Amino acid sequence: MKQNEKKVSWISFLLVLAFLGLVFWLDQIIKPTNKMYMLMTVLQKGSVYALAAVSMNLLNGYTGLFSLGHAGFMLIGAYTYAIFTIPSSARDTVYQYFDAAIRISFPELLSNSMGSAGTVLGVAIAVIFAGLAAAFFGYLIGLPVLRLKSDYLAIATLGFAEIIRAVFQWQKLGPITNGSNLLKNFMRTSLFKLKVGDTKLVFSTFVPVLIATLSIIVIVKLVNSTYGRAFKAIRDDEVAAEAMGINLAKHKMISFTVSSFFAGVSGAMMAMVLSIAQASNFKAAMTYEILLMVVLGGIGSTSGSVIGSFLFVAASEWWLRGLDSGKFLGIEAPGIFRNGFRLVVFSVIIMIVVLFFRKGIMGEREISDLFREKKKAKGAAR
Amino acid sequence: MGKTILPYIISGISVGGQYALIAIGYTMVYGILRLINFAHGDVFMVAGLMMVYMAAAMPLYIAIPLMIVLTVLLGFLIERVAYRPLRTAPRMSVMISAIGVSYLIQNLALYITGGLNKNYPSIPWISDRVHVLGLETSRVTIITPFLTLLLVVLLVLLINHTKIGMAMRAVSLNFETSQLMGIRINNVISATFIIGTFLAAVGSMLFFTNYPGVVPTSGAMPGLKAFVAAVFGGIGSIPGAVIGAFIIGVAESLIKGLDTILIVNGTITEQIGFATFSDAFTFVLLIIVLVFKPTGLFGEKTTDKV
C-alpha cells in the first residue's frame, strides 16, 4: 500500500510537470492576435479563480468555517502587489491626485542590481508580500470572528470585507491606496517576457499558472498533514474534536490565516492578469462567485474546486460567449441572445447543481481517488 | 447646530423605517428556518423594477397592488423551489442555495434591464414636497416611520392573536415538535415568506421613491443592512429588528453628514471623508454586537446541544 501511495505521488508530480511544460509551450506559440488566445485568457483567469476557490475550500470545505470574506482578502493582496510593483517612472501618473507615500518597487529595485533575474525575484517577493499582508489582516480579523458559529461567522466576515473595501477607498489614505481611483501601470502579465540570447520567451500565462500550481500543492500538503486531519475533525464535529484534544481556537486560526494568505496571493494574481486594481471590483458578489465555483466542483474537494473554477471561467468567458452576441450553436436569435443572457443561463445551471447535484462534480473525492477506485473495482472483479 | 443635524436625523428615521420593513422579512425567516435569506434584498430590488415597468404600462392604482401581489408570489415561489427541497439538508446547503437564488435574480435583472438605471416612477401624493419643522422634504420621508410602525403593530397583533401567528411562534420554538403537534409547517413557512415579501414590497415603494432609480444591484446593500439590523435587534425578534433598523438608519445618515456637521460646528476645517464609511459603519456595529452580545438586544439565549 505504502509503495502504491508513493507511485501515485510520483505520477501526479510528473503530470504537474508535464502540464506546466505544456502551458509554457502554448505561451510561446499562441500570440494575442491568435484566435485561440481565448484559451490563454481562460488559463490565466482560471488559475486566479482556482487558487481563490481552493483557498476558500480550505476554510469552508475542510474546516467547516463558512466564511464570506474572501473578496476582502483578495483586495488586500491585489493592492499590496500593485503598490509594490509600480515603477517610479509611472508613479506620478498613477497617483494623479495624491503624493505617493510608498516609493518602493521591488522588481525595479532588484533589477537595478541583478538584471532580469531581479525583476523575477521582485515580482515573487511582491506576491509573497501580498499574501503576508492578507494573512496579517486575516489574523487580526480572525481574533474576534472565529468565536462565532455558522451564519454569524458568514455575516461577520462579509461585514469585514465591506469594511476593508471602504477603508481602501477612503480619500485620506489616497497617498497609499490612491483613494477611489484605480491602480495601474504595475508589473502585469503582458510584461512578463524575457530575452534569452536571440529568442524572446513569453511567460504571460505561465507565471499565473505556476503560482497557482505551487500554492495549490502547498494547500494539498497542508490538508493531508495532521493539521488537515484536525481541520476535518473540526468540520465533522466540533465538540468531538475538542474532546479528542484538538485545540479548536488554534486550528481554526491556522486555517483562517492560511486561507487568507492564499486569497491574498490570488488577489495579487488577479491584479497582474487584469492589469488594474480597483477596490470597487472586490464586492461581496465576487465572494459569492468563488463560493459557487467551490460548490460546482464539490465542497471539500481540492481538485473539484480547480475543475469547478476552470469550468466556470471557461463557460462564462469562452463557451457561452455566443449567448451574449446573437449566435449560439448555429442558432441565430439576436432578440433573446443579447447582453447578459449568458449569465442567466449560467446561474440557472448553477441553481440546478445546487438543488439536485448537491455534491457537485467531485463530491468529497479527489482525482487521485478516482484512479484508486478503478483499481479496486478491477481487483474485486477478479 | 440643531439646524444642521435635524435633516440628517429625519432622513435617517425614514431610511430606518424602510430598513425595518425589509429586516422583518429576514428576522421572521431566520426565526423559523434558521436561514439567512440572501435573496430577500434582491426580491426587494425586483419589486422596485416591477413597479418601473408596470407604472409605464398601466395606471398606478392597478400597478401598485399588482406589483405587491407579484412580489409576494415571487417570494413564495423562491421558498417553494429553492428552499423546500433542501429542508433536510445541512444548513450550509440552504444558505448556498439562497446565494445562488440571489445570483440568479441579479443576473436576470441585468439581462432584462440591460444594466441601465431605470427611473422610478413618481407616485403622486407621497413624493410631493412638504415643509416640516422649517425643512423641505418629500412626504414619503415623513410617512415612512408612521406607516412602518402601523404595519409592525398589525404584524405583532397577527402573531400574538391569530391561529397562524400561534403556529409561527410554535414552529420557531421547535420545528419538529410543532410538526408532531399537527402544525403544517410548510404552510407556516409559506405564510412567513408571504408576509416578509409583502413588507419588502411596501418598503421598496417607500425606498425607491427617494432614490433616482433602480439597478440590478440596488437590493444588495439595503438587504445586507436590514439583515444587520435584524441581528442587532436580536434575530427572531420583530420589535428588535425594527429598533435595530431605526438605529442603523439614523447612524448611517448622520455619518453621511458628519463632515458637514463638524465643519459647521467648527471642530474640523476640511472634509475628512466620513461618508465613505456610511456603509462600513453598519458592519462595524454588527461586529461589535456579535462579539459582545451575540444574541442582539432582544434575542433569546440559546444553548448548543451536543
Side-chain angles (χ1 to χ4, degrees):
Chain A
M1 206 55 207
K2 257 267 143 68
Q3 216 163 5
N4 229 343
E5 293 276 319
K6 231 180 190 173
K7 215 167 121 193
V8 168
S9 63
W10 264 108
I11 291 173
S12 36
F13 178 67
L14 287 177
L15 281 176
V16 167
L17 269 190
F19 171 67
L20 286 174
L22 178 73
V23 172
F24 179 70
W25 180 66
L26 286 174
D27 228 357
Q28 309 313 315
I29 57 163
I30 300 180
K31 297 275 164 278
T33 45
N34 194 315
K35 239 181 150 184
M36 284 304 284
Y37 197 71
M38 221 31 158
L39 175 69
M40 307 314 272
T41 314
V42 168
L43 278 175
Q44 292 181 5
K45 285 195 180 171
S47 50
V48 174
Y49 281 106
L51 179 56
V54 169
S55 63
M56 182 186 255
N57 188 30
L58 174 69
L59 210 51
N60 292 12
Y62 287 112
T63 324
L65 296 170
F66 198 80
S67 152
L68 293 177
H70 238 59
F73 298 121
M74 289 173 74
L75 188 156
I76 293 174
Y79 266 69
T80 313
Y81 174 79
I83 290 167
F84 285 106
T85 57
I86 295 176
S88 53
S89 56
R91 206 165 277 138
D92 289 333
T93 44
V94 175
Y95 290 94
Q96 246 173 320
Y97 310 105
F98 302 99
D99 208 14
I102 296 176
R103 299 193 155 272
I104 315 164
S105 163
F106 291 133
E108 196 178 56
L109 199 71
L110 292 171
S111 71
N112 286 342
S113 53
M114 295 161 67
S116 48
T119 314
V120 176
L121 193 64
V123 169
I125 290 176
V127 169
I128 292 171
F129 224 66
L132 288 177
F136 174 68
F137 279 96
Y139 176 76
L140 290 184
I141 291 171
L143 288 176
V145 298
L146 286 179
R147 290 196 278 163
L148 306 169
K149 295 237 166 83
S150 63
D151 6 70
Y152 286 109
L153 176 69
I155 202 83
T157 44
L158 190 70
F160 264 116
E162 290 295 322
I163 294 170
I164 290 172
R165 196 160 62 87
V167 170
F168 272 75
Q169 286 177 311
W170 191 27
Q171 211 66 8
K172 286 277 153 185
L173 283 179
I176 301 169
T177 61
N178 208 10
S180 52
N181 313 305
L182 52 82
L183 290 169
K184 55 185 178 190
N185 289 340
F186 47 82
M187 279 304 283
R188 49 202 181 272
T189 44
S190 54
L191 297 181
F192 292 164
K193 285 173 189 146
L194 273 186
K195 230 179 178 166
V196 182
D198 285 337
T199 47
K200 212 169 161 192
L201 293 177
V202 185
F203 293 95
S204 302
T205 310
F206 181 74
V207 171
V209 171
L210 179 72
I211 299 174
T213 312
L214 291 178
S215 309
I216 291 170
I217 289 174
V218 172
I219 294 177
V220 169
K221 288 279 170 209
L222 178 72
V223 166
N224 290 337
S225 69
T226 44
Y227 287 108
R229 281 168 217 280
F231 294 162
K232 287 180 207 164
I234 293 174
R235 169 192 67 187
D236 292 338
D237 193 331
E238 255 184 42
V239 180
E242 199 171 20
M244 297 310 252
I246 292 171
N247 185 339
L248 286 189
K250 185 181 137 198
H251 282 91
K252 281 183 176 179
M253 188 55 103
I254 290 173
S255 173
F256 196 71
T257 322
V258 171
S259 168
S260 318
F261 177 87
F262 287 109
V265 171
S266 73
M269 285 160 65
M270 179 169 277
M272 67 170 85
V273 166
L274 299 181
S275 70
I276 53 158
Q278 189 168 27
S280 57
N281 288 338
F282 294 87
K283 288 192 176 138
M286 184 184 271
T287 309
Y288 294 165
E289 270 185 5
I290 298 168
L291 177 70
L292 293 175
M293 291 176 199
V294 174
V295 172
L296 196 67
I299 297 178
S301 160
T302 306
S303 35
S305 298
V306 175
I307 295 171
S309 37
F310 272 102
L311 275 181
F312 196 105
V313 172
S316 63
E317 297 276 328
W318 190 11
W319 299 332
L320 298 181
R321 266 281 139 136
L323 290 174
D324 265 16
S325 50
K327 200 174 163 192
F328 185 65
L329 295 176
I331 310 163
E332 272 194 60
I336 301 170
F337 295 162
R338 58 189 166 82
N339 239 348
F341 193 60
R342 168 178 60 123
L343 282 173
V344 173
V345 172
F346 203 55
S347 21
V348 170
I349 297 174
I350 284 176
M351 272 320 286
I352 292 173
V353 171
V354 169
L355 287 177
F356 302 109
F357 304 97
R358 226 180 302 151
K359 294 200 156 159
I361 299 170
M362 300 295 291
E364 276 188 22
R365 291 168 304 175
E366 300 291 341
I367 289 194
S368 50
D369 295 343
L370 295 182
F371 289 115
R372 250 171 248 157
E373 269 164 37
K374 230 182 192 172
K375 252 188 197 159
K376 243 186 221 163
K378 251 188 200 164
R382 252 177 240 153
Chain B
M1 180 71 191
K3 200 88 178 136
T4 15
I5 290 188
L6 194 63
Y8 293 108
I9 291 187
I10 288 182
S11 85
I13 291 175
S14 164
V15 174
Q18 291 144 11
Y19 289 161
L21 291 177
I22 317 174
I24 292 170
Y26 276 109
T27 211
M28 285 177 71
V29 167
Y30 192 92
I32 288 180
L33 282 181
R34 308 277 158 216
L35 157 74
I36 302 177
N37 182 9
F38 278 101
H40 194 58
D42 300 293
V43 171
F44 169 79
M45 176 272 299
V46 170
L49 270 187
M50 281 204 280
M51 190 67 194
V52 170
Y53 282 102
M54 284 192 296
M58 54 188 89
L60 276 177
Y61 58 86
I62 304 179
I64 292 175
L66 193 62
M67 179 274 284
I68 293 177
V69 169
L70 287 179
T71 311
V72 166
L73 196 68
L74 177 70
F76 173 76
L77 280 179
I78 289 175
E79 192 274 323
R80 208 51 192 274
V81 175
Y83 304 151
R84 190 169 295 182
L86 299 176
R87 191 104 341 132
T88 51
R91 267 163 82 185
M92 198 148 110
S93 308
V94 196
M95 193 141 69
I96 289 167
S97 179
I99 289 174
V101 172
S102 154
Y103 190 67
L104 173 64
I105 293 180
Q106 280 188 22
N107 285 334
L108 209 57
L110 193 70
Y111 172 62
I112 291 169
T113 61
L116 299 172
N117 182 32
K118 293 283 170 188
N119 286 329
Y120 202 73
S122 73
I123 302 169
W125 198 69
I126 71 163
S127 41
D128 293 347
R129 310 297 292 175
V130 289
H131 288 270
V132 179
L133 298 171
L135 301 166
E136 199 198 332
T137 176
S138 64
R139 190 168 276 139
V140 68
T141 317
I142 311 300
I143 300 172
T144 305
F146 296 104
L147 186 62
T148 306
L149 289 179
L150 177 73
L151 288 170
V152 170
V153 169
L154 288 178
L155 181 63
V156 171
L157 287 178
L158 175 96
I159 287 177
N160 287 338
H161 297 286
T162 61
K163 209 172 162 188
I164 185 82
M166 194 193 270
M168 279 177 187
R169 279 180 288 145
V171 175
S172 80
L173 208 59
N174 193 321
F175 207 83
E176 273 144 17
T177 316
S178 46
Q179 209 168 1
L180 291 173
M181 297 296 174
I183 294 172
R184 293 168 198 265
I185 52 162
N186 281 337
N187 292 357
V188 175
I189 291 167
S190 291
T192 315
F193 272 82
I194 287 170
I195 294 172
T197 37
F198 168 76
L199 294 175
V202 175
S204 90
M205 230 166 22
L206 304 171
F207 183 86
F208 287 116
T209 301
N210 266 347
Y211 281 78
V214 191
V215 289
T217 47
S218 299
M221 238 332 138
L224 278 178
K225 282 183 191 157
F227 179 75
V228 173
V231 174
F232 186 68
I235 198 134
S237 148
I238 289 171
V242 174
I243 290 171
F246 277 118
I247 291 175
I248 283 177
V250 171
E252 178 196 311
S253 178
L254 281 178
I255 286 176
K256 266 189 192 147
L258 200 56
D259 276 0
T260 324
I261 294 168
L262 289 180
I263 285 173
V264 170
N265 198 13
T267 317
I268 53 168
T269 48
E270 57 165 56
Q271 298 272 334
I272 289 190
F274 281 116
T276 323
F277 295 103
S278 67
D279 290 344
F281 173 76
T282 314
F283 296 104
V284 174
L285 201 65
L286 167 81
I287 286 151
I288 293 172
V289 169
L290 285 181
V291 169
F292 292 105
K293 200 168 183 320
T295 49
L297 293 179
F298 299 96
E300 67 240 57
K301 257 214 165 90
T302 50
T303 39
D304 275 335
K305 286 170 243 168
V306 179

